[in-house]
């Protein structure tokens, strides 16, 4: 790749960026349904700090007794829903036209809803007569309204795959921007809920969602939906490949083309997956401009967990025949390399390929990072917060893949995510349960495989894509893998980010936790996650009464 020859292309890209980001008056372009749909599938733009800076926030039904981490009782109170009139895990109740409305979200700055999650009110009844209403910019009448589940499950106004049914939940990623304010209400007492939204800086030009614009961008909506469901990169960059046998404690490295460039597709395949633990003992590493930006077991990096568990997402694909593919764009300015390290006790055969294209580096550009944290055993009593990662510097958090080993049948995932940004006093994101964070619900019953462009459960108990659940058993014994990657719901941070997940099981026991985390950040950034070969080899033992 000769970057000097690419100078005309560089000028064209600068012109395109200028037109896309700024209007003819010299101001930044307006945030709108159209701009956000395009952003959702713009992989290269994801490598850059947002041109319209925002803070990602969430309003949810988390238990209001959780006020201070120093309160070891209130902080871990698990009643994150509303089951009767005594519960007040919402903002307030209003009355309009002799009809009560429960206020679930209220935001009085420019913003955009980028993710909604609503569970079934009963595990086996995917219906309700409760209506949800979304009021924008102080309007007296709702801009959007419909069935509380139907509006967000792909059957109503918002189409699949933006809105869809996961496991016992209705989830939507369709953007709903607003210039001044947003209020969300329901006509009946809410159960669990999460509304994740962007809070833009004051003065950001936002075009408020309207049904007229929604219809005008219908063709674009269809186009973006097709892209999400067919995530293969359409690029044709330079492909570099290597196939090698790596001995025990050995490493193979693939040098990338020099110059301003970025990996657009990274694929890896092992010759043998018979030993499930090879997904933890095989490590992927990346060096970008002299800094190690990736150190992660391949199972956690690609979202497969322990063993080969196929699924397809927008950012990652694990195929049934064993090819592991990442579509995160990974830029560098002068040099880069991808390495595979074998921590196992036997040689492994590895095929590795990277598709590399020219990249325009600017002041908003960031490096892709991936790290890993594992621990076994993890005690479930007393209740605690388990840290995924803590990062210092400027960046955007974009995804994670969690694998847990549960030694008992009872449900393990009541714990809430708590995400702190830039030293804030209370988390920007305070969730309602681990399975809610990964966009499904009724975890003790939802031990089946599911996939979506932005989240999946590649494995739970003994089930995966090749072995689907057919019974109503409730066992969550053994390994479960959950993955979530972010597009519009990426989390920018200016100086720091800390992501904790509660360890909250219904049983006093010892579990195994392992998580791969992904983010973009400046070269000067740093995290608390360092290479940990010893823990990577500490694979939790599956209980003897469970056949893997």
């Amino acid at each position: 790749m000769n970057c000097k020859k690419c100078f005309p292309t560089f000028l064209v890209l600068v012109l395109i960026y200028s037109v896309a980001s700024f209007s003819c008056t010299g101001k930044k372009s307006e945030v709108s349904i159209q701009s956000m749909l395009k952003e959702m599938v713009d992989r290269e733009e994801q490598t850059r700090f947002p041109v319209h800076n925002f803070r990602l926030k969430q309003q949810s039904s988390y238990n209001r007794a959780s006020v201070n981490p120093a309160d070891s009782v209130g902080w871990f109170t698990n009643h994150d829903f509303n089951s009767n009139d005594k519960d007040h895990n919402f903002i307030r109740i209003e009355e309009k036209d002799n009809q009560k409305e429960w206020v679930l979200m209220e935001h009085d700055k420019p913003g955009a809803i980028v993710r909604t999650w609503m569970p079934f009110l009963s595990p086996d009844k995917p219906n309700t007569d409760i209506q949800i209403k979304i009021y924008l910019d102080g309007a007296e009448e709702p801009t959007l309204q419909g069935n509380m589940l139907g509006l967000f499950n792909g059957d109503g106004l918002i189409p699949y795959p933006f809105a869809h049914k996961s496991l016992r939940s209705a989830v939507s990623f369709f953007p709903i921007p607003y210039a001044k304010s947003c209020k969300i209400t329901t006509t009946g007492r809410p159960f669990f809920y999460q509304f994740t939204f962007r809070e833009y800086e004051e003065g950001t030009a936002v075009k408020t969602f309207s049904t007229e614009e929604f219809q005008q961008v219908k063709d674009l909506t269809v186009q973006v939906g097709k892209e999400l469901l067919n995530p293969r990169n359409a690029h044709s960059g330079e492909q570099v490949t290597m196939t090698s046998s790596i001995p025990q404690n050995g490493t193979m490295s693939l040098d990338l083309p020099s110059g301003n460039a970025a990996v657009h597709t990274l694929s890896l395949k092992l010759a043998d997956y018979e030993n499930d633990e090879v997904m933890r003992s095989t490590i992927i590493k990346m060096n970008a401009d002299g800094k190690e930006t990736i150190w992660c077991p391949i199972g956690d990096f690609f979202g497969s967990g322990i063993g080969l568990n196929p699924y397809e997402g927008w950012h990652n694909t694990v195929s049934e025949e064993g090819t592991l593919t990442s579509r995160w764009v990974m830029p560098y300015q002068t040099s880069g390399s991808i390495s595979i390290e074998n921590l196992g006790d036997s040689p492994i055969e590895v095929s590795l390929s990277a598709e590399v294209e020219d990249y325009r580096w600017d002041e908003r550009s960031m490096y892709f990072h991936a790290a890993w944290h594992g621990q076994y055993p993890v005690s479930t009593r007393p209740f605690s917060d388990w840290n995924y990662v803590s990062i210092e510097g400027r960046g955007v958090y974009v995804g994670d893949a969690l694998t847990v080993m549960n030694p008992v049948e009872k449900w393990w995932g009541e714990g809430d995510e708590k995400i702190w940004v830039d030293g804030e006093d209370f988390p920007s994101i305070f969730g309602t349960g681990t399975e809610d964070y990964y966009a499904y619900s009724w975890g003790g019953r939802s031990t089946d495989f599911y996939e979506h462009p932005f989240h999946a459960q590649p494995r739970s108990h003994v089930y995966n894509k090749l072995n689907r659940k057919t019974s109503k058993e409730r066992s969550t014994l053994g390994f479960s893998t959950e993955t979530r990657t972010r597009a519009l719901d990426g989390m920018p941070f200016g100086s720091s980010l800390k992501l904790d997940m509660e360890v909250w099981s219904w049983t006093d026991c010892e579990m195994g936790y392992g998580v791969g985390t992904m983010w973009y950040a400046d070269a000067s950034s740093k995290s608390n996650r360092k290479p940990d070969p010893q823990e990577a080899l500490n694979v939790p033992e599956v209980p003897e009464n469970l056949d893997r």
Side-chain angles (χ1 to χ4, degrees), residues 5 43 132 157 292 318 413 429 480 485 499 529 537 548:
K5 294 180 180 179
R43 300 184 196 278
I132 190 167
L157 179 70
E292 186 170 84
V318 175
I429 307 290
S480 291
T485 63
L499 196 164
R529 296 292 156 236
L537 293 175
R548 291 197 201 184

Side-chain angles (χ1 to χ4, degrees), residues 107-235:
H107 184 232
D108 293 323
K109 293 182 180 180
I113 301 169
V114 292
R115 178 184 182 269
T116 65
W117 168 85
M118 306 284 283
F120 294 178
L121 277 66
S122 173
D124 298 316
K125 294 180 180 179
N127 52 52
T128 180
D129 58 1
I130 297 176
Q131 295 288 297
I132 190 167
K133 300 181 180 183
I134 302 178
Y135 299 86
L136 302 178
D137 294 350
E140 288 294 320
E141 298 299 323
T143 302
L144 276 171
Q145 70 177 82
N147 183 276
M148 186 174 68
L149 295 175
L151 186 61
F152 300 124
N153 69 7
D155 290 339
L157 179 70
I158 301 173
Y160 180 82
F162 304 96
H164 71 108
K165 304 180 186 76
S166 60
L167 293 176
R168 296 177 167 84
S169 289
V171 187
S172 175
F173 292 90
F174 197 89
I176 304 175
Y178 46 92
K180 298 177 181 178
S181 65
C182 175
K183 183 172 75 172
I184 299 177
T185 71
T186 53
T187 59
R189 185 180 64 241
F191 190 30
F192 288 84
Y193 64 87
Q194 294 181 359
F195 297 102
T196 309
F197 61 96
R198 294 179 170 188
E199 179 180 283
Y200 289 107
E201 294 178 339
E202 290 291 350
T204 302
V206 180
K207 184 178 182 181
T208 300
F209 179 101
S210 67
T211 53
E212 292 78 16
E213 187 188 4
F214 181 81
Q215 293 300 323
Q216 290 169 5
V217 300
K218 191 172 183 180
D219 289 345
L220 177 61
T221 301
V222 171
Q223 175 190 329
V224 172
K226 287 180 178 178
E227 287 188 51
L228 291 174
L229 296 173
N230 296 277
R232 274 69 177 172
N233 277 327
H235 298 273

Side-chain angles (χ1 to χ4, degrees), residues 55-62 64 91 104-107 112-117 178 193-199 416-419 424 426-433 436-439 484 486 489 491:
R55 173 68 57 83
L56 193 76
K57 294 189 172 184
Q58 183 169 282
Q59 295 191 12
S60 74
S61 59
Y62 80 92
R64 270 46 177 182
I91 296 175
L104 313 189
M105 172 179 165
E106 194 167 47
H107 184 232
I113 301 169
V114 292
R115 178 184 182 269
T116 65
W117 168 85
Y178 46 92
Y193 64 87
Q194 294 181 359
F195 297 102
T196 309
F197 61 96
R198 294 179 170 188
E199 179 180 283
D416 308 336
E417 78 276 11
K418 300 160 185 175
I419 309 178
E424 60 197 354
F426 193 81
S428 296
I429 307 290
F430 200 124
T432 57
D436 313 346
Y437 176 82
Y438 291 106
R484 175 177 177 180
R486 297 165 178 261
D489 59 333
M491 293 195 70

Side-chain angles (χ1 to χ4, degrees), residues 269-282 298 306-309 320-322 345-349 459 547-548:
K269 186 177 181 181
L270 304 183
D272 186 0
Y273 293 93
E274 184 175 352
N275 177 8
D276 286 349
E277 294 180 12
V278 73
M279 302 296 279
R280 185 58 63 80
S281 62
T282 304
I298 60 173
I306 303 295
L308 185 67
N309 298 296
E320 295 180 13
E321 45 82 32
D345 55 10
S346 301
I348 56 174
E349 297 284 338
R459 179 192 177 102
D547 182 5
R548 291 197 201 184

